[in-house]
Amino acid sequence: MRELWLVRHGETTWNAEGRHQGQLNVPLSPRGVGQTFRLAERLRASGVVFDKLYSSDLERAQETARPIAQALDMPIYLDPRIREVNSGRLQGLLQSEIEAHFPDYVRAVRADPWNTPRPQGESMAEVSRRVEAFLRELPSGRFLIVTHGGVIRAALKLALNLDGDTWRRFRIQNTSITRLAFPEGVVASFREEGYAITVGDAAHLERWAEALTTDEVEAG
C-alpha cells in the first residue's frame, strides 16, 4: 500500500491578495507562518510515522516543510516535479487583470480547463504528467508531500479518474491535508487505481483547534 499525505503550502502574501503565483517564489504571510506551525504540531502529536518527507522546490513549499521536518525529525527531499502549474504571463496578476488582458485565454480555459495552457505556461494536463511520473517512483509506504493546490487537484483527478471539471471543485485550503491511498501493485499508472481518505482537511486551523491551543498555552 502507498499512502500519500498531500499538504498545500501555507498562505502567502499573494494568496492573501488574490494574485496568481505559478512558479514564482512568494514568501509566506505572517498568517501562513502560523498555519505551518499549527500543522507541524498536529502531525507531531498524531504520532503517524512517515517514510519520507518530500517538498516542492518552490520557497513557499520549503517554508512550510521546514517546521514539519523539525517537528518530525526528518530530512526534506526536494522535487521540482511537484511544483505548482507554470502560469506563464499570468503570474503576478489578479483575476480581474487576467480577464481584462487575456480574454481569449479566459474563454478557452472555461471551455477546456484541463488542456488549455496558460499563456507561455502549462496546462493542467501537462502538470498531471509530471506529477504522475513522480508518483510512479514512490515505493510502498506512507509519504508526506508538501506541494501546491494545482498539484493536489491533478493527483485527485488521476487517482479518482474524475470527469469533466470535477477536479476544480475541491476546496484545498492552505496547509490542508489530502490523503490518497493506492493498493499494492499499482505501479504503471495511477489512473482509477486510488481512493481518497480525506480531501482538504484543515482541522488544525478550525476554531476549536485555536481554543485548544490557547488552553494549552494558558495551562503552561
Side-chain angles (χ1 to χ4, degrees), residues 172-204:
I172 309 296
Q173 297 183 68
N174 294 108
T175 69
S176 66
I177 302 168
T178 295
R179 293 170 60 194
L180 301 178
F182 298 88
E184 202 67 43
V186 177
V187 176
S189 176
F190 279 76
R191 302 173 192 275
E192 304 181 55
E193 300 288 354
Y195 57 90
I197 301 172
T198 62
V199 176
D201 171 12
H204 51 285

Side-chain angles (χ1 to χ4, degrees), residues 6-163:
L6 298 160
V7 171
R8 186 185 176 199
H9 61 81
E11 181 194 81
T12 68
T13 54
W14 279 13
N15 284 151
E17 295 173 9
R19 295 188 182 277
H20 287 242
Q21 298 172 113
Q23 295 186 355
L24 294 182
N25 277 319
V26 182
L28 296 186
S29 67
R31 181 184 182 200
V33 172
Q35 291 171 340
T36 67
F37 281 95
R38 287 195 175 203
L39 173 61
E41 175 55 24
R42 176 184 178 182
L43 293 170
R44 185 202 63 77
S46 74
V48 175
V49 176
F50 297 94
D51 293 284
K52 211 164 188 179
L53 168 59
Y54 287 96
S55 174
S56 156
D57 61 344
L58 296 181
E59 185 56 33
R60 58 188 182 271
Q62 293 191 59
E63 282 187 82
T64 303
R66 288 180 196 122
I68 296 171
Q70 184 174 13
L72 301 182
D73 193 23
M74 296 181 69
I76 302 170
Y77 295 88
L78 303 181
D79 198 306
R81 293 175 295 180
I82 51 175
R83 283 182 174 187
E84 182 60 287
V85 59
N86 181 351
S87 294
R89 294 177 64 192
L90 308 185
Q91 294 177 157
L93 300 183
L94 300 169
Q95 186 61 32
S96 59
E97 294 171 329
I98 292 171
E99 292 173 0
H101 297 295
F102 298 94
D104 291 342
Y105 162 75
V106 171
R107 283 191 292 270
V109 80
R110 285 175 178 165
D112 187 355
W114 187 251
N115 294 297
T116 301
R118 282 73 178 150
Q120 298 181 12
E122 289 180 298
S123 68
M124 285 300 297
E126 290 173 307
V127 173
S128 74
R129 286 193 285 273
R130 56 178 166 84
V131 170
E132 187 171 8
F134 167 78
L135 297 179
R136 279 203 307 267
E137 293 181 5
L138 298 179
S140 297
R142 182 183 291 119
F143 301 94
L144 187 57
I145 301 168
V146 181
T147 183
H148 307 267
V151 169
I152 295 170
R153 291 184 177 89
L156 282 164
K157 180 172 173 63
L158 286 170
L160 306 179
N161 192 32
L162 299 173
D163 293 328

Side-chain angles (χ1 to χ4, degrees), residues 38 41-42 44-45 208-220:
R38 287 195 175 203
E41 175 55 24
R42 176 184 178 182
R44 185 202 63 77
W208 65 265
E210 180 177 345
L212 177 60
T213 302
T214 302
D215 289 345
E216 288 175 342
V217 170
E218 291 176 350

